[in-house]
Amino acid sequence: MLARHNQSKALQWLGKQLFNREDPAAFFDPLLERINPMWVQEYTPARVEQVLQETSDTRTFVLKPARRWQGFEAGQHVNICVEVDGTRRNRTFSLSSSPILWQKQGLITLTIKRLPGGRVTNWLHDHLDVGSVLGLGEAFGDFTVPEPAAPVLFIAGGSGITPVLSQLETMAAQDYRAPVTLLYYVRTSEDVIAREKLEALTARHPALTLTIIATHDGTAPRYLSDADLGTVPGLNARQVFLCGPKGLMDLAGELLQSRGVRERDIHCTFFSVPQANIEDQPLGGQVRFAQSDLEVGSEGDANLLEIAEAAGLTPRYGCRMGICHQCSCRKTSGTVINRLTGQKSGPGEENVQLCISVPQGPVSIDV
């Protein structure tokens, strides 16, 4: 869901009386959109100011959000909304610029890789030009720079470098004094995103050590290894940040644990939903969507968001990965299993995230 303009109670009351809606300012959006898309009130618009080609399949979009957007911390993510073939699509991306760019120039950047078969990423690459306007959500996430400063190790893969770029720029601007190491894995040397920026940051920030590893430039694949971790001084005292493909994340987690790095010092952000093994548990059941007065059956590990959409409902959602909590709603009865952790809910009322909750027996949801 996108960032919405806050309404006063008086305006909400007036809108209810005049237009029978809670957001009367948005009543005029169709007209405002024709005059100037940046005046739309239903969501926070952001205009594309520049498009930069990073690699053959990755572009950086420089955006200027409307002034009411509330800013972000380095390492956070945002949801964007675009209309693809007549349907609004939401996706989550990491901000790749420093908050300083936003504070000084009112600009932010999203660095986005084209994904094979990706409905939205491909559309962005093919249709989002300078002057285009998209919807922007407020920033969220806790993949942020340690405070106070502590030694840091970043392990990034491919476009997983994007939140790290934001953090490194911020650290350099703050003259972050603790040691910072980046191990950056790319498929080939042609796939390095923001190489010039990374090298410039290394040159101006003495605390930063950069190592770029191309995994497929040689005759045999060259993946993250225990020897790579052995090059990082004081590894066990570092805060470790992981971002990249699941295979790299899993491998890094195993190697770090074998070297005794504490779980609480490892911070992850995901490209895809990590899934607990819940296949040995009974799953599925009757799901009642109370507000919609609709009841449907489900089988297997389909989550509540998928079940609702299959039933023709359009509940609010954001990242679809259990990160942003924008699909949270009230479960009034029944048991669900958290797809990320494998943990079972209680049988009574509580808030659940639709995108990661799998019913186990009959469930009633306030949707």
Side-chain angles (χ1 to χ4, degrees):
M1 196 60 182
L2 303 175
R4 290 180 180 275
H5 186 63
N6 292 328
Q7 307 284 345
S8 68
K9 289 184 178 179
L11 191 59
Q12 286 180 345
W13 178 85
L14 182 63
K16 198 72 175 175
Q17 304 308 309
L18 294 176
F19 310 126
N20 193 33
R21 59 185 301 167
E22 302 286 350
D23 53 345
F27 181 81
F28 299 102
D29 276 353
L31 175 61
L32 295 174
E33 190 171 17
R34 287 174 178 270
I35 300 172
N36 185 340
M38 294 297 286
W39 292 350
V40 169
Q41 296 297 305
E42 185 185 6
Y43 52 82
T44 301
R47 185 176 58 236
V48 179
E49 297 289 310
Q50 194 176 8
V51 181
L52 306 172
Q53 193 77 38
E54 299 283 357
T55 67
S56 62
D57 59 4
T58 303
R59 289 179 175 176
T60 290
F61 298 92
V62 182
L63 306 177
K64 189 175 186 65
R67 290 182 179 178
R68 62 177 182 269
W69 195 65
Q70 297 178 17
F72 69 105
E73 294 181 55
Q76 288 192 308
H77 325 288
V78 289
N79 289 328
I80 69 166
C81 179
V82 292
E83 189 170 308
V84 179
D85 298 330
T87 302
R88 281 190 178 182
R89 304 284 181 185
N90 292 332
R91 291 294 185 275
T92 302
F93 296 101
S94 299
L95 291 142
S96 56
S97 56
S98 165
I100 297 170
L101 182 67
W102 161 249
Q103 293 157 8
K104 291 186 174 180
Q105 301 182 37
L107 299 173
I108 61 173
T109 67
L110 298 176
T111 300
I112 298 173
K113 181 176 181 177
R114 184 191 286 270
L115 299 177
R119 180 179 291 160
V120 174
T121 60
N122 286 319
W123 186 92
L124 294 173
H125 274 249
D126 294 337
H127 296 90
L128 204 61
D129 300 317
V130 172
S132 301
V133 173
L134 51 75
L136 188 70
E138 295 298 343
F140 63 91
D142 55 5
F143 195 72
T144 53
V145 175
E147 291 185 5
V152 168
L153 167 63
F154 292 109
I155 300 177
S159 56
I161 194 65
T162 52
V164 180
L165 287 171
S166 176
Q167 291 178 311
L168 292 179
E169 281 208 60
T170 302
M171 289 169 151
Q174 294 174 344
D175 193 19
Y176 193 88
R177 296 301 178 91
V180 179
T181 298
L182 168 60
L183 302 178
Y184 180 27
Y185 293 83
V186 293
R187 186 169 179 80
T188 74
S189 54
E190 302 297 318
D191 298 318
V192 179
I193 297 172
R195 179 192 288 276
E196 291 184 3
K197 179 179 288 186
L198 288 169
E199 291 175 348
L201 285 168
T202 307
R204 86 171 205 255
H205 189 201
L208 173 60
T209 302
L210 168 67
T211 302
I212 298 175
I213 299 104
T215 58
H216 288 76
D217 268 356
T219 54
R222 160 69 171 90
Y223 298 119
L224 169 68
S225 68
D226 184 70
D228 294 334
L229 298 182
T231 66
V232 181
L235 175 66
N236 292 70
R238 301 227 178 190
Q239 295 296 302
V240 183
F241 292 80
L242 309 178
C243 188
K246 186 175 186 301
L248 174 64
M249 306 272 276
D250 290 346
L251 177 58
E254 292 171 8
L255 293 173
L256 289 165
Q257 285 185 13
S258 71
R259 280 189 166 262
V261 177
R262 296 171 296 187
E263 189 173 341
R264 69 186 187 193
D265 293 334
I266 301 174
H267 313 274
C268 304
T269 189
F270 297 96
F271 281 7
S272 59
V273 183
Q275 297 189 348
N277 183 9
I278 59 175
E279 295 176 354
D280 58 344
Q281 302 190 49
L283 301 173
Q286 288 296 113
V287 180
R288 174 171 172 72
F289 299 101
Q291 286 187 24
S292 306
D293 193 21
L294 179 66
E295 185 166 331
V296 297
S298 73
E299 296 180 353
D301 61 354
N303 62 51
L304 291 172
L305 179 58
E306 294 168 338
I307 296 167
E309 290 176 335
L313 302 179
T314 55
R316 178 184 303 180
Y317 68 88
C319 65
R320 306 183 77 101
M321 300 169 64
I323 298 175
C324 72
H325 290 261
Q326 294 191 31
C327 64
S328 294
C329 69
R330 198 71 178 163
K331 172 178 71 65
T332 53
S333 67
T335 301
V336 297
I337 295 181
N338 185 310
R339 178 40 111 175
L340 303 184
T341 65
Q343 293 182 337
K344 186 185 297 187
S345 75
E349 287 196 31
E350 61 183 309
N351 286 331
V352 298
Q353 293 170 266
L354 296 178
C355 69
I356 56 170
S357 297
V358 179
Q360 187 177 56
V363 172
S364 182
I365 298 292
D366 199 13
V367 167

